[in-house]
């Protein structure tokens, strides 16, 4: 009698700036409960955490790197540019090369795909070959903040602009069960019920508008997941880079753990 193979599990890690710390909590909880991870696709913050984990399979090491003083020095990564963004990105590229040890995709221990957006065509671009740090650098490049990065024939920006929760990519990679982590969820609006436009400046209004678009796009791209994990970290807002300079990382990781525990019975039922 032929023994049935277990279904392959794919993890789609969504965009979300500093909210991406929650991905660490998600992965920690899956590992603790012996939930396998066979494929990872990530956009923006999800690309960062997904890349680090797929290279090491050591989520404690990923957590250590993410909570280290290196992140608290993020302000020192700023190298001013006036050609498509405030930040040129060379210093961040060097930092990514360092923590990812100049690795290429063929060196990952779990198949990895990283999502960026071609700024000339508005299409999502799946990166699964070559230098991982450059792919991550492209995927986290928020327009107006970062210069775009040219890879091959593509001029690339943040993956969250086109495919913030890359469920379709994980499915294409071969996943039978898709776990999706959506950080751009309803929780952002729970603390903003009484919005009054005259109380906010132009920058806030612009970011609020961007977040509305991200919210709807993330909802659409995650709807075909078998299990949707939605950490309640919405109060950080659409970008939240300032949170890297504050001691909120552990709290956000905890929210990822909590959200994953809620859906664990559903995950185990699918696997069995």
């Amino acid at each position: 009698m032929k023994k049935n193979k277990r279904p392959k599990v794919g993890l789609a890690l969504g965009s979300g700036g500093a909210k991406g710390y929650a991905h660490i909590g998600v992965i920690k909880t899956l590992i603790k409960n012996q939930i396998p991870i066979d494929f990872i696709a990530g956009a923006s913050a999800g690309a960062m955490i997904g890349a680090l984990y797929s290279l090491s399979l050591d989520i404690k090491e990923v957590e250590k790197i993410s909570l280290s003083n290196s992140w608290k020095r993020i302000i020192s990564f700023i190298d001013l540019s006036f050609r498509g963004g405030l930040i040129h990105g060379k210093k961040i590229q060097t930092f990514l090369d360092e923590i990812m040890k100049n690795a290429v995709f063929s060196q990952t221990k779990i198949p990895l795909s990283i999502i960026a957006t071609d700024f000339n065509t508005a299409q999502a671009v799946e990166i699964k070959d070559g230098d991982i740090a450059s792919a991550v650098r492209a995927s986290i490049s928020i327009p107006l903040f970062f210069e775009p990065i040219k890879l091959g024939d593509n001029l690339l920006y943040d993956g969250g602009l086109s495919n913030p929760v890359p469920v379709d990519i994980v499915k294409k990679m071969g996943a039978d069960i898709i776990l999706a982590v959506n950080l751009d969820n309803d929780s952002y609006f729970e603390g903003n019920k009484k919005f009054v436009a005259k109380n906010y400046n132009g920058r806030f209004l612009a970011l609020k508008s961007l977040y509305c678009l991200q919210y709807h796009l993330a909802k659409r791209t995650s709807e075909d997941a078998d299990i949707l994990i939605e950490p309640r970290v919405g109060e950080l807002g659409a970008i939240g880079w300032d949170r890297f300079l504050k001691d909120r990382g552990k709290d956000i990781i905890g929210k990822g753990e909590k959200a994953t525990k809620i859906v664990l019975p559903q995950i185990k039922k699918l696997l069995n």
Side-chain angles (χ1 to χ4, degrees), residues 217-237:
L217 184 56
K219 193 171 184 179
R220 184 182 67 77
T221 58
S222 62
E223 63 187 6
D224 289 332
D226 295 294
I227 301 291
L228 187 59
I229 303 170
E230 296 191 293
R232 315 305 283 177
V233 289
E235 72 277 6
L236 294 178

Side-chain angles (χ1 to χ4, degrees), residues 103-121:
V104 295
F105 280 84
S106 60
Q107 293 176 270
T108 61
K109 296 178 172 66
I110 294 176
L112 170 72
S113 285
I114 288 176
I115 311 305
T117 303
D118 189 319
F119 209 59
N120 289 322
T121 66

Side-chain angles (χ1 to χ4, degrees), residues 125-147:
V125 175
E126 179 188 1
I127 309 172
K128 53 185 178 179
D129 298 297
D131 173 50
I132 295 177
S134 294
V136 171
R137 155 78 173 84
S139 191
I140 66 172
S141 294
I142 301 168
L144 300 181
F145 287 84
F146 291 91
E147 271 190 28

Side-chain angles (χ1 to χ4, degrees), residues 93-234:
Q93 178 75 47
T94 300
F95 174 69
L96 293 173
D97 285 332
E98 179 184 328
I99 63 172
M100 294 176 187
K101 300 176 181 176
N102 297 299
V104 295
F105 280 84
S106 60
Q107 293 176 270
T108 61
K109 296 178 172 66
I110 294 176
L112 170 72
S113 285
I114 288 176
I115 311 305
T117 303
D118 189 319
F119 209 59
N120 289 322
T121 66
Q123 297 302 306
V125 175
E126 179 188 1
I127 309 172
K128 53 185 178 179
D129 298 297
D131 173 50
I132 295 177
S134 294
V136 171
R137 155 78 173 84
S139 191
I140 66 172
S141 294
I142 301 168
L144 300 181
F145 287 84
F146 291 91
E147 271 190 28
I149 181 171
K150 188 168 177 58
L151 287 180
D153 296 327
N154 303 115
L155 188 65
L156 300 178
Y157 263 132
D158 196 310
L161 294 172
S162 57
N163 196 352
V165 190
V167 167
D168 59 329
I169 301 299
V170 174
K171 184 175 182 180
K172 188 172 74 170
M173 292 170 78
D176 302 304
I177 296 172
I178 301 173
L179 314 180
V181 186
N182 177 17
L183 302 177
D184 295 323
N185 52 58
D186 292 337
S187 64
Y188 175 75
F189 299 99
E190 289 171 359
N192 292 277
K193 300 285 187 185
K194 298 178 180 179
F195 173 76
V196 180
K198 67 180 181 180
N199 293 340
Y200 298 99
N201 60 31
R203 178 179 177 274
F204 178 88
L205 293 172
L207 292 179
K208 178 84 173 182
S209 300
L210 175 62
Y211 197 80
C212 289
L213 294 172
Q214 287 180 318
Y215 165 77
H216 287 289
L217 184 56
K219 193 171 184 179
R220 184 182 67 77
T221 58
S222 62
E223 63 187 6
D224 289 332
D226 295 294
I227 301 291
L228 187 59
I229 303 170
E230 296 191 293
R232 315 305 283 177
V233 289

Side-chain angles (χ1 to χ4, degrees), residues 27-48:
I27 295 173
K28 283 177 69 175
T29 305
L30 293 176
I31 293 169
K32 185 177 180 180
N33 289 273
Q34 299 180 316
I35 306 298
I37 302 172
D38 299 294
F39 307 98
I40 295 177
S44 199
M48 174 77 76

